[in-house]
Amino acid sequence: MNCYDYIIIGAGSAGCVLARRLSEDPATRVLLVEAGPPADDFWIRTPAGMGKLFKSERYNWCFQTEPVPTLRNRRIYWPRGKTLGGSSAVNGMVYVRGNRRDFDHWRDLGNPGWGWDDVLPYFRRSVRHAGDANPSEASHGLLTVSDPSVRHPAALAFLESAQRTGLARLHDFNEGHQEGAGLLQATIHNGVRQSTYDAFLAPVAGRRPNLEIRTGAHVRRVLFSGVAATGIEILLEGKIQRFEAAREVVLCAGALSSPHLLMLSGIGDAEQLRQHGIATVAHVPGVGKNLQDHFAVRVQAQTTPGGSYNQHLGGWRKYAEGARYLVTKGGYLALGSSIAAAFVRSGPDVEYADMEISFRPMTFSYAGSSEAVVDNFPAISASVYRVRPASRGEVALRSSDPMQSPAFIPNYLQHPDDVRAMLAGLRRLREIFAMKPLSSLIVQELLPGEQVRTDAQWIDYMEREGQCAFHPAGTCKMGNDAMAVVDARLRVRGVERLRVVDASIMPVVTSGNTNAPTIMIGEKGADMILADAALSRVA
Ligand SMILES: Cc1cc2nc3c(=O)[nH]c(=O)nc-3n(C[C@H](O)[C@H](O)[C@H](O)COP(=O)(O)OP(=O)(O)OC[C@H]3O[C@@H](n4cnc5c(N)ncnc54)[C@H](O)[C@@H]3O)c2cc1C
């Protein structure tokens, strides 16, 4: 066996942060294992490369859900990053922390230390603001966050129209309250994607002898002696190998794979484990439950030529745009997936904004291709999703074979409140599209089309066309109730020396995109692990 102090499973948004922090002390030996390959690829570094990575079999797990009964039994495509940086290497780069009330709610659910005032220092510790993004916040962190490099007139028109429907104009979504419309910040530095690998690990990789990073290493299970985690079993270079952790094993495999690995290792619902012939190490029935994801529905409209940047990414102009990017690292290839957004309430009784409307002055489709193809006509697009959905899904074991993915059961729109809220959000979006100045750029609505007006027609459209917004969370939830999987220090219940530190520990998914809060979880998780280690040395 090869021996380390800490073994971190998964080099994603949280895993890279954790590896950086835990290996800061040269006396601490850290092993970070990642199933995917290294991330040295032009299209990972280039923000517009997101479209190329979306269905990449090399860098993406390319998961599919089970057929979803509420969506006419469609299977929904679930991309997840599979490389150094994990999903932060393939995502849309939007940087949104969430609402302060999300975290206060986490704290009030029985998780001391997770309120907004507690987590804000961890958000701040990570980031450095480029340009004038959030000048109110001193920032010297490792992860650069910037404003959009191009402020396309359609995005500015969207913001003005949103204001005219009564929304406030926000200059920063990341101060804890989000209701209003504004430009989105992105994890992009000088036109280059900032995955957590780039920001946190690349600067030290190869320079810290105490940090070992292994790619192409698929973890099959966590090993135990009694109820104490002692190491991992991985498939590496075609061979099954074992590595030992003297202090802790930390699962950072993400909200879809961390619960899967727990179950494969004997931690989960004992009856379900028994059905698959897995010996139970600890009966923790909440593993894989409480799955939450954002279900997104888009509206698209054809615009006048200046109302979109589609034409810059097609025909001969795309070569000019490519050259512009190579020379200046600016232009449309340097933008994240959405550049403006509005956070709104779905009704007067809702306590704080529960709908996110993300706006793009461009459109694309997959039309039989594995890559996004930009439409050859000028058009804009906006997606609506309920940021605190009421529906709950599940990640369920399908087999004891670690190479077979589990069953993903999202249960989108199962709760009637989600349907009601989506209807309100989509109507609000149409209201913004109908308001000047944005309305003067619009020639006609393409999707769903102006004929869709009644609730029944909208619901029909959602069921046929709705997709995921790539934010699964909550499957190893933190808490102190019977369905909690980890405690407030992220230790897995019923066992020792094992933690989960990634998006799966969120008891409730945050009001917004999930990369920033997952990075915060990595920062806070690292502090807790180091503090507990220091305590145990004193004891
Ligand atoms: C297409 C897409 C677009 C998105 N857009 C945005 C956005 O614009 N803004 C935003 O905030 N969020 C976005 N997200 C969501 C965000 O990126 C994720 O919430 C976040 O990255 C989750 O971090 P994580 O650490 O929990 O998991 P991940 O970053 O997914 O990391 C998990 C890592 O574990 C590895 N792993 C899994 N199983 C094993 C195993 N058995 N053995 C070894 N390694 C394993 C994986 O390969 C992966 O590298 C997007 C996600 C996707 C997929």
Side-chain angles (χ1 to χ4, degrees), residues 6 26 45 87 140 227 306 421 524 534:
Y6 296 103
R45 290 191 295 277
S87 296
H140 312 285
V227 292
K524 190 164 163 60

Side-chain angles (χ1 to χ4, degrees), residues 21 26 40 71 114 120 149 151 177 187 194 200 207 264 293 360 380 382 401 416 425 437 442 454 466-467 494 496 509:
R21 301 300 184 202
D40 189 17
L71 303 181
W114 288 91
L120 187 57
S149 59
R151 298 177 185 204
H177 53 87
T187 45
Q194 293 291 282
F200 291 86
R207 294 189 188 166
L264 291 169
D293 191 21
R360 284 171 286 281
I380 55 173
D401 175 1
I442 293 177
T454 66
Q467 293 293 339
E496 291 160 16
V509 66

